[in-house]
Amino acid sequence: MAKYNGKRTPTLYDLFHKNPFSGKGVSKKDDVPRTFKNFFKLSWWHISHIFTVNMAFILGNFPLIFLLLGFSGLLNDASPSPASSIYAALFGTMQEASDPFTAALYGIHGMQGSIAVTTLGTKIMYGIGALVVFTFGLTNIGTTYILRNLIKGEPIFAWHDFWYAIKRNLRQGFIMGIIDLIILVMTVYDVIFFYFNLGSFTTSLMFYASILLAIVYFIMRFYIYNLIITFDLSLFKIIKNAFIFSALGLKRNIAALIGIALLVIIDYTFLITFLPLGVMLPFMILYGYCAYIGSYAAWPKIKEIMIDPYATEEEPEEDAIFEDDVL
C-alpha cells in the first residue's frame, strides 16, 4: 500500500483543500494553473522561499564546501617535476659528458614544471567532505518538501517543514541520497572518461550513450524525491515510477531541462566575465531556482496520474490510501 505522507493521516479532502497543519486555506494567487505561461509569475511570488530553499541546501550540505576546497588545490604544496619524459636520460648524460648537441637538448627537455602534492590539510578537507553522503539525500528531502508545498499552493513554514520532512522520511532519504550520489558520480565520470578517449566508434558510442543516460537520470531526479515525500513506496518502485514519469511528462521535462541548462550557462558566463557574481549565485539562488523548476515540472504530472483519480471518490475514509502499483 502507498500511504500519503501528510502532516497527519489525511483524507482526500485534505489533499485538495486546506493544509491540516496550518489551518489556512490556499490563497488566490496560489490557485493558478501550473503552466509554462504562469511559471515566471509564480516563481516571482515564491522568490523569498526559493532563497530559503537555496540556503537550506547549502547549510544542509556544508561538507560539500570542504570537499570543493580540497579539490581546489589551495591547500596543496607544489613540487618541481620534469616537463619532459627524457629528462632523466639527458640529466644522466650531462653528468658524464657534455657536448653542444646534448646541451641543446637539455636546454629544451630539461625544463622543470611543478606538480601538486596533497597535504594533510587537503586530506582533512576530503575527510570532512565525505560526510556529504550522510547529508545529501536528507537535505534533498527537506528542500523538495518545501518546494512541493509551494507548487501545491499550501502555506509554508520553511524550517519546520524542512525538518518535518527529514524526520518523516529519514530512512528512505538517507539510502536514496547514497544511491543518488553514486549514480551522479558514475555518470559524470563516464561522460568525462569517454570524452577524453574519443577516437573509435565504440568510445564515441559510449560517450553519447553516457550523455543520454545522464540526461534521463537528471530528469528522473525531478520525480524521485517528490515521490518519496508524497507516497509510501519502496525505493525500487519510486525509481521505476520516476523513470516512467520522465517519459510521461516529456514536454514539461524538456522545458525544465532547458531552463536549468540556461541558468547554469548564465552562471558559467558570470564566472568567466565577473567572477564575484558567478561565485555568489550558487550560494544565493542557483540551486533553489533549479530545484523549483524541476518540482514545477514534476508535481502537476504526479498529481494528475497518482492523486487526481482519487478525487472522484464520494465518501473517502479517514485513513485514505493510494494503491501501490499506480504505474
Side-chain angles (χ1 to χ4, degrees), residues 298-321:
W299 175 251
K301 184 58 66 173
I302 294 173
K303 179 176 178 292
E304 174 191 342
I305 294 176
M306 297 184 73
I307 296 179
D308 281 350
Y310 294 87
T312 59
E313 296 184 11
E314 295 182 358
E315 296 181 358
E317 298 179 359
E318 180 67 19
D319 293 327
I321 60 174

Side-chain angles (χ1 to χ4, degrees), residues 57 60-61 63-64 67 71 128-140 172-190 217 221 224-225 239:
F57 182 81
N61 285 312
L64 278 175
L67 191 62
F71 281 124
I128 298 175
L131 295 175
V132 75
V133 299
F134 299 103
T135 65
F136 189 71
L138 300 180
T139 303
N140 275 286
Q172 280 198 328
F174 175 70
I175 296 173
M176 188 63 228
I178 295 175
I179 295 172
D180 195 13
L181 275 176
I182 291 173
I183 296 175
L184 288 174
V185 170
M186 288 176 62
T187 52
V188 171
Y189 176 82
D190 286 344
Y217 182 70
R221 295 186 78 253
I224 288 173
Y225 291 101
I239 295 173

